Amino acid sequence: MKGGQRTGDLHSALRPWYFAGPATLWTVAFFVLPLAAMAVVSLWTLEGQSTDFSLANYRQFFANPSYYRAMINSLEVTAIVTVVSVLLAYPLAWILAEGVPERWQRLALILAILPFWTSYVVRSYSWLLVLSERGVVNNVLVASGLLNAPVQLANTRFATILGFVHFFVMLLTLTIYASLKQLPRTYRRAAADLGASGLQTFRHIILPLTMPGIMVGAFLTFVLAIGDYVTPQILGGNNELLMPQLIMLQIGRRGDFPLAAALSLILMLVVTVAYLAAARWLKLERA
Amino acid sequence: MKFQRSAAGRLFGTLLAGMAAAFLSAGADAQELNALVWCDHSDPEVLKPFEEANGVKVNVKEFEGTGAGLAIVEQSQPGDWDVMVIDSIDVRRGVEKGLFEPLPEDQLPLADIFPDVMMDQHGKVDGKRYGVTEKFGYNTIGFNKEKVDPADMQSLAALADPKYKSRIAIYDYYLPVIGMAALAAGKKTSELTEDDLPAIRDVLLKWKANSKLVGEVTASQTALATGEVDILVGGGEWVTAGLAKENPALDFSIPKEGGILWSQSLAMFAASKNKGLALKFIQYILSPEGQARLATSSCYWGMPASQKAALTDQERKTLRFDEQKEFLARAQPYPAPDADLDKKMQDVWTEMLQAQ
Amino acid sequence: MKNLAPSLAWAYALILYGFIFLPVIMLVLFSFQGTMFPVPPFNGPSLRWYETVLADSRLTSALVNSLVLAVATSLFAVFLGFLAAYGLARYRLPGSNFLRGLITAPLMVSYLIIGMGLNIMFNGMGVPKSLAAAGIGHVVINLPLCFAIIYSQMGEHQVNIERAARDLGAKDWQVLTHITAPMLWPALFAGFFLSMTFSWDEFVISFLLTRFDTTLPVEIWSLLRSGLSPKTNAIGSIVFGVSIVMVLVLELVVLRRRRI
């Protein structure tokens, strides 16, 4: 009886692990271990095939202006993209949540997502052609008299930012919409009862309550944008390099995995710092 | 209501089964040849005659630069690859890594190859032939002769001319373009050392400041063809010839300072499990038909290494077949830096990319 | 002023929707281009590029690969995520918070880094590149998402029903499949749908981890290296069309379920 109970105890102690175990194991095996492998490899160097540990790759990043410039570029571009996308998305999310009749809202959302069901790579090339000197945008601007001659829009930082904003406006619209829908209608009614105008209600009730939703969306935008290779590579024309391009350059041109690993870890560090900052901000907000 | 019994569940189930069947059957094939190639070998028009004649399938993986190609090999297992297309000057690197198999000279039509591109000094190591040239061309100046004065294109100095600001694209491959910069600085590509880099860097930065974009094969071809730019540094017949039908205004010139000769060779892997088939593939590519198809491949055109290539008269004209002797006399090979100089060159290139 | 606001709002919404649809409209339009380049002027319409795409066996097999990979990895991610959410919500484990953090951690790391890490690890272990390797990467990026969505929907009200079922003699797996899963159907579906979306269009991880059998985004990338042509517009439009059909089918299926 006692033995059976002990096995029973063990079984019920192990039971939660049957459920949480597989996912944990998967994450450790295919996420944590690769990161560890990358950390080890980043300490090796390519020339001389050396597997002695050294910080040469990291030193190279901080010493070489072309390298740390890529990080600065990435931060600048990502910051602009995040701010612009939030500013454009909030009003749209508002219109969808408030202005559009309930039964058409889901359709409106699906319509907003639909264009992103074309292939990402093809969509980026499509933007390149739309923005090119012989493309639609220039044609329209010249034909309408706003410009005398086509202007260079493609292969610039502007094009990269536009390509990013295109996607993230959609993403942020969705997250802010979800956040707005969660707001109890009673809050607004209460504020109106107390004599608040629309603008005041927005500033003091709605905006603060939807801030967490905005922050989550903004953080997601930041992480996805800063690590993206396709958009800057296709739309930027190599007129400047962002971090993902610098990393892929090491892999593609020279197979320099140690340097690529070091650069990747530096990128991850920056994102982690951003995460901690965002998490701290959210905690402060809640308090 | 159980998920399994719902309509959605049934739909997913049949969809899964159907796709799994298609997916699993896709892998079951006849004998296969695995080739590591530049994009001109992926054209079905090039591969089909060989595949049909031998009842095999040729799997291709593309790369864009010897460093990248060798990186792919390093990440693979021995026996993963059978043949490789590699820049002729880099054949030695592969041999030193123990990758390549000596080729039987008596079974290859070597006599048909243009003597100037035989590249024995690169293809032969210790008396054994490891690589055989299959295609060549020039990294020089490609341009639109209706938008640009062809007379200007006879000198590399035009590339820094403010007259052409933002009308230029630079081909994103550091070796030949650094070679061109070396020519502009009055140096020989075969004798480059670290001391030459500052001069090269200056030329590159001047060109970058004058250009609109730096792009790989597609981006540069598109930019030139759609009129986004009118001049392509590092361009040559490989860009203009294939587009000649659509846009006959595209042409190339070899300026007085010279052009950079690119030449690609075929090599066989020592660890290959299909050596017989690999040899047959190399023989096919060197045959008149194979040479003609390779020369006019959809990714980029180029001069066939074999003088017996079965090209049409129009194709010969587009490739300037008859002017080749003169071109070859003014062309210099790709720089062949050691690992240390290579890294420094790449750093100069990265610096150029970041510069405004 | 009050009358202006709605028109301004509509104008704003229209402009933004126009912005969102612009590249796709151009994409579809120039897939019918008659000449070589997908730029104005438009010479067409012609179906030649669609014919080229459907005849290209590399593209069509890449399409199938993408679909199979997306479905398989999404199902697996939902499965693992569901089990983990159940385990962590219903039981008190030591270090629950840590485990939750661990499982959701990959959300914070760029796909490029995840792909590179796996590339380096598989390389070192001698594991060859393949669709399966890319699949592993896709599960890594989708598992945290599925877990987070499902976990957020786990609530106290479900516990009582589960307890009732257990009292009636149901075993654990029966409770899971007959009670919990159906109750969480919207979350499971959302996780599956989102995972499908991310996996289907994912480029970097597939690029780094596949060799010959590859996914559609990687194949399109290779295609683009060989020269820009309306062929890519055609495949992009086909993908777009397939997605519309899939969304319609899903809408009908879901709608029909709702009515029952």
Side-chain angles (χ1 to χ4, degrees):
Chain A
M1 214 14 134
K2 243 197 169 176
Q5 223 174 15
R6 242 187 279 137
T7 339
D9 280 343
L10 184 65
H11 183 69
S12 41
L14 279 180
R15 190 179 293 150
W17 286 106
Y18 296 154
F19 299 117
T24 314
L25 273 174
W26 188 275
T27 309
V28 167
F30 298 118
F31 174 68
V32 177
L33 280 183
L35 283 180
M38 238 173 53
V40 168
V41 169
S42 76
L43 296 171
W44 297 350
T45 44
L46 185 68
E47 288 93 61
Q49 307 278 323
S50 156
T51 55
D52 299 328
F53 282 10
S54 97
L55 287 174
N57 294 319
Y58 292 94
R59 251 181 279 137
Q60 190 173 47
F61 173 77
F62 288 106
N64 189 334
S66 324
Y67 281 37
Y68 63 69
R69 181 94 221 137
M71 183 48 111
I72 298 176
N73 292 338
S74 274
L75 286 170
E76 285 175 2
V77 168
T78 311
I80 297 174
V81 166
T82 309
V83 169
V84 172
S85 302
V86 170
L87 289 176
L88 286 178
Y90 203 106
L92 187 62
W94 179 271
I95 294 172
L96 283 180
E98 307 289 318
V100 174
E102 283 277 345
R103 54 200 201 95
W104 293 116
Q105 280 183 13
R106 208 168 85 239
L107 181 64
L109 283 175
I110 290 178
L111 269 181
I113 307 179
L114 209 53
F116 299 94
W117 273 77
T118 56
S119 163
Y120 180 28
V121 176
V122 180
R123 210 165 56 235
S124 301
Y125 260 101
S126 204
W127 266 120
L128 187 67
L129 295 174
V130 165
L131 293 172
S132 74
E133 292 205 345
R134 274 171 55 177
V136 169
V137 174
N138 267 312
N139 283 353
V140 165
L141 286 174
V142 169
S144 68
L146 285 166
L147 281 179
N148 288 327
V151 74
Q152 179 181 4
L153 293 170
N155 299 310
T156 57
R157 177 184 274 204
F158 170 74
T160 304
I161 292 177
L162 193 73
F164 275 137
V165 167
H166 183 242
F167 176 77
F168 290 112
V169 160
M170 181 273 297
L171 189 69
L172 281 166
T173 304
L174 289 180
T175 48
I176 298 175
Y177 170 85
S179 189
L180 281 170
K181 291 299 276 188
Q182 274 190 12
L183 278 182
R185 290 215 145 266
T186 47
Y187 283 29
R188 259 189 273 168
R189 225 170 285 151
D193 284 346
L194 288 168
S197 70
L199 198 61
Q200 283 174 320
T201 315
F202 178 76
R203 241 183 73 205
H204 297 285
I205 309 282
I206 300 179
L207 189 60
L209 284 175
T210 52
M211 227 6 153
I214 298 178
M215 284 303 287
V216 170
F219 176 69
L220 206 61
T221 303
F222 182 79
V223 175
L224 290 175
I226 208 172
D228 188 69
Y229 171 69
V230 175
T231 300
Q233 182 67 5
I234 295 180
L235 291 171
N238 274 326
N239 274 312
E240 63 173 356
L241 289 179
L242 302 187
M243 273 306 268
Q245 293 172 288
L246 188 65
I247 295 174
M248 286 295 259
L249 204 73
Q250 309 311 317
I251 304 177
R253 293 291 158 85
R254 306 173 58 242
D256 192 346
F257 279 87
L259 184 55
L263 294 172
S264 303
L265 287 176
I266 293 176
L267 185 62
M268 218 179 86
L269 190 70
V270 168
V271 173
T272 312
V273 167
Y275 169 73
L276 291 172
R280 192 135 201 281
W281 186 94
L282 277 169
K283 264 202 206 107
L284 286 172
E285 268 294 296
R286 292 240 186 86
Chain B
M1 173 130 166
K2 293 186 197 168
F3 179 67
Q4 298 92 308
R5 288 219 213 109
S6 72
R10 272 204 300 269
L11 183 69
F12 276 133
T14 17
L15 206 64
L16 259 181
M19 286 194 282
F23 183 50
L24 288 169
S25 66
D29 248 325
Q31 198 186 5
E32 301 187 350
L33 187 77
N34 295 337
L36 202 51
V37 300
W38 280 78
C39 63
D40 59 342
H41 287 67
S42 313
D43 191 347
E45 291 300 306
V46 173
L47 299 175
K48 233 190 319 196
F50 177 75
E51 287 180 326
E52 282 170 8
N54 292 283
V56 299
K57 184 168 186 300
V58 180
N59 294 320
V60 293
K61 173 114 180 135
E62 300 162 1
F63 63 89
E64 282 193 0
T66 306
L70 290 176
I72 294 177
V73 176
E74 251 157 69
Q75 290 172 58
S76 314
Q77 313 301 314
D80 271 357
W81 304 102
D82 301 307
V83 290
M84 182 173 186
V85 176
I86 184 171
D87 280 346
S88 302
I89 50 163
D90 288 321
V91 174
R92 181 171 289 268
R93 275 169 77 178
V95 176
E96 279 162 16
K97 286 178 189 264
L99 294 174
F100 297 145
E101 174 89 357
L103 299 169
E105 297 207 341
D106 52 338
Q107 298 186 39
L108 298 170
L110 298 178
D112 299 336
I113 296 182
F114 280 92
D116 288 310
V117 296
M118 261 312 271
M119 303 264 172
D120 275 349
Q121 72 275 37
H122 297 303
K124 277 178 114 148
V125 179
D126 296 333
K128 291 197 221 142
R129 175 167 298 281
Y130 289 90
V132 55
T133 311
E134 52 158 19
K135 188 170 173 182
F136 69 96
Y138 309 94
N139 287 106
T140 171
I141 311 179
F143 58 91
N144 185 330
K145 58 183 181 231
E146 282 170 18
K147 301 264 197 70
V148 152
D149 184 357
D152 284 339
M153 298 295 107
Q154 300 308 316
S155 168
L156 287 174
L159 299 174
D161 192 332
K163 173 158 69 163
Y164 294 116
K165 188 162 172 67
S166 287
R167 305 309 306 159
I168 300 178
I170 301 179
Y171 175 43
D172 187 10
Y173 190 14
Y174 70 106
L175 277 177
V177 180
I178 285 185
M180 286 177 72
L183 291 178
K187 306 188 188 290
K188 290 187 75 153
T189 58
S190 48
E191 293 165 9
L192 291 179
T193 67
E194 197 179 326
D195 300 324
D196 299 316
L197 284 180
I200 291 175
R201 195 176 140 272
D202 283 339
V203 175
L204 283 179
L205 289 177
K206 269 202 225 112
W207 288 354
K208 177 78 193 301
N210 225 21
S211 70
K212 186 184 254 192
L213 68 107
V214 180
E216 30 67 50
V217 176
T218 314
S220 4
Q221 271 189 358
T222 314
L224 194 60
T226 59
E228 191 83 10
V229 298
D230 298 317
I231 299 173
L232 177 57
V233 177
E237 76 291 293
W238 61 272
V239 180
T240 59
L243 298 170
K245 235 190 302 177
E246 291 269 337
N247 193 346
L250 297 177
D251 200 1
F252 70 97
S253 73
I254 306 218
K256 62 177 178 1
E257 295 93 341
I260 303 290
L261 174 71
W262 61 264
S263 105
Q264 41 189 77
S265 292
L266 275 170
M268 186 194 309
F269 281 93
S272 162
K273 302 198 182 97
N274 288 313
K275 293 208 180 107
L277 190 61
L279 181 61
K280 281 213 189 116
F281 183 72
I282 298 179
Q283 287 168 330
Y284 161 71
I285 293 284
L286 292 175
S287 69
E289 185 195 7
Q291 282 283 286
R293 284 174 185 258
L294 187 64
T296 57
S297 162
S298 63
C299 190
Y300 59 89
W301 285 36
M303 276 295 298
S306 166
Q307 303 179 57
K308 293 228 181 87
L311 293 166
T312 68
D313 283 337
Q314 183 54 45
E315 287 164 352
R316 275 166 182 258
K317 202 157 158 283
T318 313
L319 284 169
R320 306 244 195 111
F321 203 93
D322 303 316
E323 292 172 67
Q324 288 304 315
K325 254 215 157 341
E326 190 214 318
F327 287 164
L328 286 167
R330 294 209 328 261
Q332 292 193 30
Y334 270 33
D338 60 19
D340 202 40
L341 184 57
D342 186 66
K343 173 86 172 60
K344 299 213 167 69
M345 281 186 177
Q346 295 236 18
D347 279 342
V348 170
W349 190 256
T350 308
E351 194 189 330
M352 187 269 296
L353 287 176
Q354 288 285 46
Q356 295 307 306
Chain C
M1 190 60 199
K2 258 219 153 141
N3 287 331
L4 194 58
S7 349
L8 273 176
W10 278 111
Y12 184 79
L14 272 170
I15 292 177
L16 266 155
Y17 268 86
F19 169 61
I20 289 177
F21 270 89
L22 181 60
V24 176
I25 294 176
M26 287 297 120
L27 182 78
V28 174
L29 179 64
F30 282 97
S31 68
F32 297 108
Q33 174 79 303
T35 51
M36 269 259 338
F37 284 103
V39 277
F42 180 66
N43 308 311
S46 148
L47 285 178
R48 66 189 265 217
W49 302 108
Y50 286 93
E51 288 165 10
T52 322
V53 163
L54 292 172
D56 187 338
S57 61
R58 277 174 71 182
L59 269 179
T60 44
S61 57
L63 186 80
V64 171
N65 290 342
S66 275
L67 270 174
V68 171
L69 200 68
V71 172
T73 57
S74 303
L75 281 177
F76 196 54
V78 167
F79 176 67
L80 285 182
F82 174 59
L83 285 181
Y86 183 80
L88 285 171
R90 298 282 181 260
Y91 297 90
R92 238 172 256 127
L93 278 170
S96 251
N97 282 336
F98 173 71
L99 282 178
R100 270 210 318 276
L102 179 69
I103 296 180
T104 46
L107 277 176
M108 265 179 26
V109 180
S110 306
Y111 293 0
L112 174 63
I113 298 179
I114 292 179
M116 263 201 55
L118 282 171
N119 193 9
I120 290 177
M121 191 175 86
F122 285 158
N123 231 27
M125 285 167 42
V127 174
K129 297 197 196 202
S130 64
L131 270 178
I136 291 178
H138 283 195
V139 175
V140 172
I141 60 176
N142 286 324
L143 171 59
L145 208 65
C146 293
F147 171 76
I149 293 174
I150 299 172
Y151 186 78
S152 70
Q153 295 299 310
M154 290 259 170
E156 283 306 309
H157 54 282
Q158 296 149 353
V159 178
N160 292 328
I161 305 179
E162 288 170 13
R163 206 175 291 154
R166 250 187 238 115
D167 286 344
L168 289 169
K171 297 199 207 73
D172 261 339
W173 67 270
Q174 286 172 320
V175 173
L176 271 179
T177 53
H178 294 210
I179 309 286
T180 324
M183 275 200 293
L184 286 167
W185 154 248
L188 292 176
F189 182 72
F192 179 76
F193 191 69
L194 268 175
S195 300
M196 281 274 298
T197 311
F198 284 136
S199 165
W200 161 254
D201 206 16
E202 200 283 320
F203 172 70
V204 178
I205 294 179
S206 310
F207 181 69
L208 290 171
L209 296 176
T210 56
R211 198 167 64 128
F212 293 132
D213 292 313
T214 189
T215 61
L216 192 61
V218 180
E219 193 57 47
I220 293 178
W221 180 267
S222 309
L223 194 71
L224 285 169
R225 312 307 254 177
S226 325
L228 198 68
S229 87
K231 192 172 171 187
T232 30
N233 292 50
I235 186 81
S237 308
I238 291 178
V239 167
F240 186 47
V242 166
S243 317
I244 295 181
V245 167
M246 269 178 24
V247 168
L248 275 173
V249 164
L250 282 164
E251 274 290 298
L252 286 173
V253 164
V254 169
L255 275 172
R256 234 193 279 135
R257 272 187 64 94
R258 291 252 181 99
R259 290 219 193 94
I260 289 173

